[in-house]
Each structure stands twice: as structure tokens, then as C-alpha cells.
Amino acid sequence: MGVQRLMKRCAFLTLSDAADFVIDDQLAYRPLRELGWQVEAVPWRDSRAWDSFHAVVIRSPWDYQNDPEAFLAVLERIENSRAQLFNSLDLVRWNLSKTYLRDLEARGVPIIPTCWLNRVEPGRIGDLFETVGNEQIVIKPVIGANADGAYRLDRGALRRMGSEVESYYSQRPLMAQPFVRSVLEEGEYSLFYFNGQYSHAILKTPKDQDFRVQEEHGADIRSVLPEESILNAGRSTIEALPEPPLYARADYVRANHGSGFWLVELELIEPSLYLRMSPSAPARFAHALHTRWGDL
């Protein structure tokens, strides 16, 4: 009789109430089981004995932005346990605030031209059009997810929504950018990387009368084979990171001047990996985790 293989335990951090979110991380369970892993989805607010896991992978805690300090405290407990945390706490801290984009820009990664502000002064929201230098602007929180707090404004929208936007950002850091026309004309590309290697890509196109590309907001999602220039941009972005991540999602839009691509976001904390959009992606992700854990 053969000796039964001892399964390693892995926790996929998630949120308590998935609500309308689309989560497909379970597609990685079978290929991980074939590699000797037993996976359990664990809400990040649950109190667990993290030492009982060999690995903890941050996957879908899509409410962490409501209490980032509590989230970081949980990650610190995991990092101080015997479990290996992916991605690392250092990467999470760096990626938590979108000011990481300034770091990447300083390393040569093209991003959407961005103005960074600590808050919006009363009655000064209209100044952002001149500050950004565009008659259509997008405002986002520096710490946020799921397009929460994202506004697309022109002069007409400012008259209708100015007080709402000012109130939202009266005590909240923000980033202001020119609206990128290609989001509506072409869409936003997402490239996925496991252990620094390109895996697959999708194109996200917002629904009519919207600019948000999350599927929770009705966007159309489809698999694509990205052109070489986007693959080159993604490679340069991954190479600019302070340390190699287990997983990364890099979002790009075609630049307003029509030459090259701008990085919108680099998601290293809890990006949806859209494993369902590529038949071999779940196995690639499982292999990346198994290899990465074994190399540590």
C-alpha cells in the first residue's frame, strides 16, 4: 500500500458577503489539489490560527478599503505566522495607496497624467479642469477599489454633482486625471502575470452612458490576444516592481495622443484574476503558487 501524500493547506482570503461580486478563484482548487494543496476560502475578518496554513493568498477581500488598518493588522498576523503570505505585506503596503503610480512613473512606466491632492477645498472643485488641463476629468480616491468614489466630470456634470464630489473629497486624498477617450472607443486592457510570467489578457468595455470597466457595473468582458506593444508595456511594468509578486494584474488604456499605452492601475493586492477567461489560467496560477512556495 502506498503512503498517502500529506496535503498542504492554503487559505484564499475573501470577504464575508460576496453580494453581487463575481468570484472565480475556485477554478484553481482542482489544479492545486493535484499538486498536493487543500484550499479553503476564509473571510479576512475571521479569527483564524494562521499557523495551521502553509500559504495564505489574498484573493477577494473586496471590502478592505472600508477599514484598511484592520485589514493590514490581519495581514501582519499572517506574515508573523508560519504561513507564507502572497503577495507579501511589503508589496501590499506599497500598492495600497495609488501613489505607487508615482513611483512607477519615476521608474519610466508611462501612466495617465495625474494631479495628486490631499483634499478638495470648499468651492474649488472647478479648479481641477485647469489643473488637469482638460474639459473632461476623472477623480478617484487614492485608496479605493471597485470604482468607489470615481467621478467623471465635465462642466455640466460639475453643476449637477459638484457639491456631492466636494463633500466626498472634503477630507479624502484624491487623484485627478484627464478622461481617456479610448476607454469608450476601445476599452481597458488587463494583463495577468503569475510569478512574473504573462498568463492571459482581457478587454473590458463599459456599458452605454458609463465609463467604469468593472463587470459589477455592467461592463462587457472578453478574452483578447494583446498586441506586442501592450505586452512590452506589461513586461516593463513588472520589471519595475520592488520585488516579484506571485500575481499581478496590469490595466492599460491607449494614450490620448494615440501613441503607446498608459498604465491605469497595477493590482497586487486583491485583483480579480479572471481565471475563467482562459482555460489554462487556473493551472498556470496553481503551478505558480506551488513553485513559489516551494522555492521559499
Side-chain angles (χ1 to χ4, degrees), residues 116-130:
W116 306 88
L117 298 170
N118 290 326
R119 61 189 291 261
V120 173
E121 300 288 344
R124 304 300 297 273
I125 186 71
D127 294 352
L128 290 177
F129 291 100
E130 285 70 34

Side-chain angles (χ1 to χ4, degrees), residues 104 107-110 193 231-241 252:
L104 291 175
R107 296 169 191 164
V109 176
Y193 296 84
L231 291 173
N232 290 337
R235 188 179 307 113
S236 297
T237 299
I238 296 300
E239 290 174 352
L241 294 182
Y252 296 94

